[in-house]
Each structure stands twice: as C-alpha cells, then as structure tokens.
Amino acid sequence: MRHILSILVENEPGVLARVAGLFSGRGYNIETLNVAPTLTEGLSMMTITTTGDEAIIEQIVKQLRKLVTTLKVVDLTDVKSVEREMMLLRVDAEGSKRAEVLRIVDIFRCKVVDVSPDELVLEVTGTQDKLTALVSLLQRYGIKEAARTGAVAMRRGMQE
C-alpha cells in the first residue's frame, strides 16, 4: 500500500542523507521525495511516498523518530489530508495538433508556461491520478520531456 510520510526535521547538512540512508540501508524504496524549508527558521519539511504493509511502515516511522534531527513524523495515509503534485511537460504541438493539445490543457486546467512554433511547455498540478491521466492523453501527440515533483501533502484543517 502507498503511504505518504510528512517529516519535520532540523535544516542542517546531512539530514537528507541520513533519512535516505535509513531507507536504503533497510531495503525500503522511496518513490518520491520533496524537501523544503518551513516558515520556522531552521526547520524543513520532508514529504516521502513509499510502499509497504502496516508493519513495514510502522518500522520506518519508528526508525525515523530515532534520528536526532527528526522532530515529528506523521503518516498521512489514514489522516484527512490534501495531496498535490506538480509536473512540467514539453509537448509536440505542431500545426493542427496545437488546437487539440490546447483543448486537453483547458480540460485539465493546465497552464501554458512556454510557447514555441512547434511545442508547448505545460504546468499542471493535481493528484497523482490526474497527472497520470494527462500523460496518457498527451502521449499520442508526443511528449518530449516531463519533470514531476512527487507528492507534497498536508493535514487538512479541523473539520466537524
């Protein structure tokens, strides 16, 4: 099962290497990884997606909490949360293809961030499923390049 881990860490050299080393040293796979500073000086938030059964995820969480630089670990899988991913796509859009690609762009609420005579660079945000569906539709037009951020997630606010 896919899990999203939100990890609050001290922002200092080597933290990323220690977290990645914890995963690789035990044979766990990191599917996506995002790290960025938080609004609090000296702290960063890591968002890691990985797969495993409950026992494996519980083991990973316990080991992450043992790291000196880790302040908080939350498995967002069973928590009400918001998850998004961002992707840039460079798509072939010559001649008559351009109008068809632009229709798909509109349906998926993408932004065109660069235009040239024969291609478009698109920016899209959404769930992993939305991005996968877009890639699937645009493949027939020719995707020249793709870059994805991986998941970024946050617990939802209090809901009644």
Side-chain angles (χ1 to χ4, degrees):
M1 184 175 169
R2 181 173 175 262
H3 288 262
I4 300 173
L5 303 178
S6 180
I7 308 161
L8 183 64
V9 296
E10 293 175 8
N11 188 357
E12 60 183 50
V15 173
L16 178 58
R18 285 192 288 268
V19 170
L22 183 147
F23 276 79
S24 66
R26 288 156 183 83
Y28 305 140
N29 187 40
I30 294 175
E31 290 184 5
T32 68
L33 169 68
N34 277 292
V35 185
T38 65
L39 297 176
T40 305
E41 177 111 10
L43 298 181
S44 287
M45 184 64 72
M46 290 185 173
T47 306
I48 296 176
T49 57
T50 188
T51 54
D53 60 27
E54 292 303 317
I56 288 173
I57 300 303
E58 186 178 326
Q59 177 89 9
I60 290 171
V61 169
K62 284 180 181 176
Q63 291 171 354
L64 285 168
R65 287 183 177 142
K66 287 181 184 178
L67 294 176
V68 176
T69 54
T70 302
L71 303 175
K72 186 176 183 179
V73 180
V74 177
D75 182 356
L76 294 173
T77 308
D78 296 327
V79 175
K80 289 184 180 181
S81 59
V82 177
E83 174 192 348
R84 293 292 181 268
E85 191 171 330
M86 195 270 292
M87 178 172 55
L88 295 174
L89 283 170
R90 187 156 21 111
V91 181
D92 187 23
E94 293 181 77
S96 63
K97 286 185 184 179
R98 186 174 297 255
E100 294 175 43
V101 169
L102 287 172
R103 273 194 289 275
I104 293 170
V105 163
D106 188 46
I107 291 167
F108 279 83
R109 297 185 184 137
C110 303
K111 290 181 185 175
V112 177
V113 293
D114 189 50
V115 178
S116 71
D118 59 348
E119 60 188 33
L120 300 171
V121 176
L122 312 175
E123 174 188 316
V124 61
T125 59
T127 63
Q128 185 181 34
D129 291 342
K130 176 183 176 179
L131 273 56
T132 301
L134 177 64
V135 167
S136 160
L137 281 173
L138 290 176
Q139 278 180 332
R140 70 181 196 190
Y141 299 101
I143 296 174
K144 295 181 175 182
E145 187 176 0
R148 288 175 86 150
T149 62
V152 176
M154 180 181 288
R155 182 185 306 218
R156 286 188 182 272
M158 295 299 290
Q159 296 180 357
E160 299 298 318

